[in-house]
Amino acid sequence: MAGSRDASSPASSSPSLHVVVFPWLAFGHMIPFLELSKRLARRGHAVTFVSTPRNTARLSAVPPELSARVRVATLELPAVEGLPAGAESTADVPPEKVGLLKAAFDGLAAPFASLVAAGRRGGAGEAADGFERKPDWIILDFAQSWVFPIAEEHKIACAMFLILPAALLAYLGTKQANEACPRRTTEDYMAPPPWVPFPSTLTYRRHEAEAIAAGFRPNASGVSDMDRLWQLHRPSCRLVIHRSSPEAEPRLFPLLTDLFAKPVVPAGLLLPGDAAPPGGGGGHHQPLEAVARWLDEQPRRSVVYVALGSEAPVTAGDIRELAAGLELSGARFLWALCAPGGEPAAALLPGGFERRVAGRGVVAAGWVPQVRVLAHAAVGAFLTHCGWGSTVESLFGFGHPLVMLPFVADQGLIARAMAARGVGVEVPRDDDGSFRRDDVAAAVRRVVAGEEGEEMARRARELREVVGDRVRQERYVDELLELLHRYK
Ligand SMILES: C[C@@H]1O[C@H](OP(=O)(O)OP(=O)(O)OC[C@H]2O[C@@H](n3ccc(=O)[nH]c3=O)[C@H](O)[C@@H]2O)[C@H](O)[C@H](O)[C@H]1O
């Protein structure tokens, strides 16, 4: 991702802001943070996007017309024992090592403080060492608990941008509410929280609840994810922003603003363009050409696109069972197979699988430009882990019905919410999260065939029209900017 070394004068006459945008080291986070950056820059504001060298190199390029306002500041991750060399995102490490990546991330506190301090000295100093001018805002992710003291020292306003659905923050609740009503058993984590005063689908299956409970306990970084997230209670965190909208998640924004006693506001869905610019991704980039030719030959809306995000804890057994289910389903499919731990994908597939599905099924090993695949006329459904980014892109961006295979974090909440909206079918799971090929095949058939499938597709297209209305979504960014001007 290229960016300029200095921000030119903004296009609009209103006082422009300088906003530092700093995502957690995960593509499901960096991609929406970059989408927000583009929108702020398009409205005449200066953006400094902060990440690490390998991550910024793998992100899609900033459109040329915005490169004068989006500046990239890269910070070198410190080495941490046990973290693979060169690992800079959750896509580069197995799930059990993400805690070490957080420990390395915490090592960016000092270089980030230097970046801010250099900017504070201002003047003709070497721009590369700091910001051209003091930031008005730092928009950070859930993980940077150490940014707040730096921002407070330099009197810079902070906002926490959660690229997760508001449903997750409603489920997690405030620090105070959790201390008053502690969740102690797996069953406690499976139930809707008592502080949501209306019926909701905020429930987890047993395997999901166990993963959520782990977020309340310290990980290899020594800090729990919840203690990082609950830094949003600090007064210097003036806003909480969600990549979402009231149309996508009714009733939650007023509830959260009340629960957290500060504005919890939508940034809108930040829908990517119809055909994302060519660019990297979480790993080795699969050129679309190899995939597009096959898609071009398929009937309209006949293909199930299969992808499980950049960090889902998918096991080799899951991949074999999913492959067998896709084979049994008889459906056409394109599978972007990001193998766990970087193992070669072919080694994980059942013997003879690709030969038996030849003609109707393709496995694209590695990263594909997902938005461009979802935009293809041949794609008619999405088998997904229900990561919020993928859900927003596929359902609200392109109106595809969903076959849902959630794993961790917010994914189970998203799956229940989308099933309740009648736009997808969840694959049944055992208590340990395992699933069966017959259930995968049955869920795929329900979504891609018959009256039920047609009704789901109709509802999905209706959601794209109503919730994915791009004009309305862009207005949320305008409303957010009004708040950034007001609260800075
Ligand atoms: C917010 C949080 O992000 C996490 O990230 P994860 O990468 O798993 O999934 P997405 O949010 O779908 O993000 C994945 C992003 O990677 C892109 N992509 C993925 C695979 C590929 O082959 N090519 C691509 O371009 C995709 O288009 C999307 O933008 C967790 O899910 C979590 O549940 C979710 O709520």
Side-chain angles (χ1 to χ4, degrees), residues 429-441:
R429 310 292 277 277
D430 293 343
D431 280 351
D432 65 356
S434 58
F435 55 88
R436 278 172 302 286
R437 59 192 66 183
D438 295 345
D439 290 330
V440 170

Side-chain angles (χ1 to χ4, degrees), residues 376-453:
H376 197 286
V379 173
F382 184 23
L383 192 155
T384 173
H385 69 318
C386 299
W388 188 234
S390 293
T391 304
V392 165
E393 292 161 358
S394 59
L395 181 59
F396 302 126
F398 297 105
H400 294 316
L402 306 174
V403 180
M404 303 184 287
L405 199 60
F407 287 85
V408 291
D410 50 346
Q411 296 158 17
L413 300 183
I414 295 164
R416 254 114 280 159
M418 295 310 134
R421 281 181 176 265
V423 293
V425 171
E426 263 199 83
V427 176
R429 310 292 277 277
D430 293 343
D431 280 351
D432 65 356
S434 58
F435 55 88
R436 278 172 302 286
R437 59 192 66 183
D438 295 345
D439 290 330
V440 170
V444 169
R445 289 194 197 105
R446 283 178 61 190
V447 172
V448 302
E451 285 183 19
E452 186 185 18

Side-chain angles (χ1 to χ4, degrees), residues 26-29 31-32 90 163-165 168 243 272 280-282 305 307-312 336-338 366-371 374 382 384-391 393 408-411 414:
F27 282 89
H29 294 237
I31 289 169
T90 56
I163 42 74
L164 307 152
L168 182 62
R243 180 208 189 165
Y305 169 56
L308 303 178
S310 66
E311 63 180 26
L337 177 51
C338 286
W367 191 271
V368 302
Q370 176 162 298
V371 171
L374 290 167
F382 184 23
T384 173
H385 69 318
C386 299
W388 188 234
S390 293
T391 304
E393 292 161 358
V408 291
D410 50 346
Q411 296 158 17
I414 295 164

Side-chain angles (χ1 to χ4, degrees), residues 186 190 203-210 416 426 429:
T186 300
M190 293 168 71
T203 59
Y204 276 119
R205 307 280 192 260
R206 183 167 297 278
H207 73 284
E208 299 161 344
E210 287 163 357
R416 254 114 280 159
E426 263 199 83
R429 310 292 277 277

Side-chain angles (χ1 to χ4, degrees), residues 13-223:
S13 58
S14 64
S16 79
L17 298 171
H18 176 200
V19 184
V20 173
V21 171
F22 191 178
W24 158 235
L25 306 176
F27 282 89
H29 294 237
M30 290 184 278
I31 289 169
F33 268 75
L34 183 58
E35 286 296 331
L36 178 63
S37 301
K38 293 176 191 173
R39 284 163 171 80
L40 297 177
R42 203 163 278 133
R43 288 161 173 80
H45 302 284
V47 176
T48 297
F49 186 95
V50 181
S51 191
T52 64
R54 199 164 161 241
N55 285 339
T56 51
R58 290 183 288 179
L59 283 168
S60 297
V62 172
E65 69 273 15
L66 299 179
S67 62
R69 292 200 206 103
V70 180
R71 179 179 178 277
V72 177
T74 56
L75 302 176
E76 292 288 344
L77 268 187
V80 163
E81 188 179 346
L83 189 65
E88 294 188 10
S89 83
T90 56
D92 302 326
V93 296
E96 64 272 13
K97 294 210 171 201
V98 170
L100 292 174
L101 188 65
K102 285 172 184 160
F105 191 58
D106 293 345
L108 296 182
F112 184 75
S114 303
L115 193 66
V116 175
R120 292 282 288 123
R121 285 197 292 276
E126 173 45 58
D129 293 337
F131 307 118
E132 281 63 42
R133 59 188 232 243
K134 178 188 169 196
D136 298 294
W137 282 89
I138 298 173
I139 296 184
L140 50 89
D141 211 321
F142 81 97
Q144 297 94 319
S145 41
W146 35 268
V147 165
F148 290 103
I150 298 167
E152 288 156 10
E153 178 191 346
H154 294 285
K155 297 183 174 39
I156 299 170
C158 286
M160 189 177 283
F161 177 38
L162 298 174
I163 42 74
L164 307 152
L168 182 62
L169 189 61
Y171 169 86
L172 294 173
T174 64
K175 185 174 176 67
Q176 181 189 7
N178 278 268
E179 286 166 351
C181 309
R183 295 169 171 122
R184 293 194 172 87
T185 65
T186 300
E187 287 73 18
D188 291 342
Y189 285 99
M190 293 168 71
W195 48 78
V196 175
F198 44 75
S200 76
T201 56
L202 298 178
T203 59
Y204 276 119
R205 307 280 192 260
R206 183 167 297 278
H207 73 284
E208 299 161 344
E210 287 163 357
I212 279 288
F216 285 75
R217 300 189 295 267
N219 52 52
S221 69
V223 181

